[in-house]
Amino acid sequence: QVQLAESGGGLVQAGGSLRLSCAASATTETMGWFRQAPGKEREFVAARTWNGLYTGYADSVKGRFTISRDNFRNTVYLQMNSLKAEDTAVYHCVAGNQGIETTPAGYNYWGQGTQVTVSS
């Protein structure tokens, strides 16, 4: 069982930035992020493989969000710039041993989530 611990959420004004972090208790092939806004389904945000050869982003965040990974620390980061009100959601860290998957079923391990609120 892999434990995931997120941090870095908070309240920010539109146009601002936040960086989320997620520390894993063990190494997995892929780590990434999903988000869930009130009344909506979980949505893929970004993911990155262990070797860094493959990354994936949702169209809605391309050019604004960057995922990075520190393999020594088993930690993944999500740098979020130019935040918009529609980015408001609970952000969940995910980990799995497949490649880049854009559906929730593609990940075995989930963090509890961290709230990101963007005020307009």
Side-chain angles (χ1 to χ4, degrees):
Q1 189 76 7
V2 177
Q3 306 294 326
L4 302 173
E6 304 108 330
S7 61
L11 173 65
V12 64
Q13 289 188 331
S17 298
L18 280 175
R19 189 176 84 151
L20 305 183
S21 301
C22 173
S25 61
T27 299
T28 58
E29 172 63 21
T30 304
M31 292 185 72
W33 298 89
F34 277 70
R35 67 186 181 186
Q36 188 167 21
K40 295 188 176 180
E41 295 185 352
R42 288 186 176 182
E43 174 190 27
F44 172 76
V45 176
R48 182 182 176 97
T49 55
W50 184 88
N51 58 15
L53 287 179
Y54 301 99
T55 58
Y57 293 94
D59 288 343
S60 58
V61 307
K62 280 181 182 176
R64 301 188 298 120
F65 291 11
T66 302
I67 188 169
S68 60
R69 187 167 175 174
D70 182 337
N71 290 335
F72 180 76
R73 294 180 173 83
N74 279 336
T75 299
V76 67
Y77 304 95
L78 186 68
Q79 178 66 43
M80 305 185 294
N81 299 328
S82 302
L83 282 160
K84 306 175 182 179
E86 51 263 44
D87 295 317
T88 295
V90 175
Y91 284 69
H92 294 271
C93 178
V94 296
N97 288 308
Q98 305 194 58
I100 303 295
E101 298 283 344
T102 60
T103 63
Y107 297 91
N108 303 95
Y109 309 105
W110 289 73
Q112 294 287 340
T114 185
Q115 177 70 46
V116 171
T117 303
V118 184
S119 63
S120 57

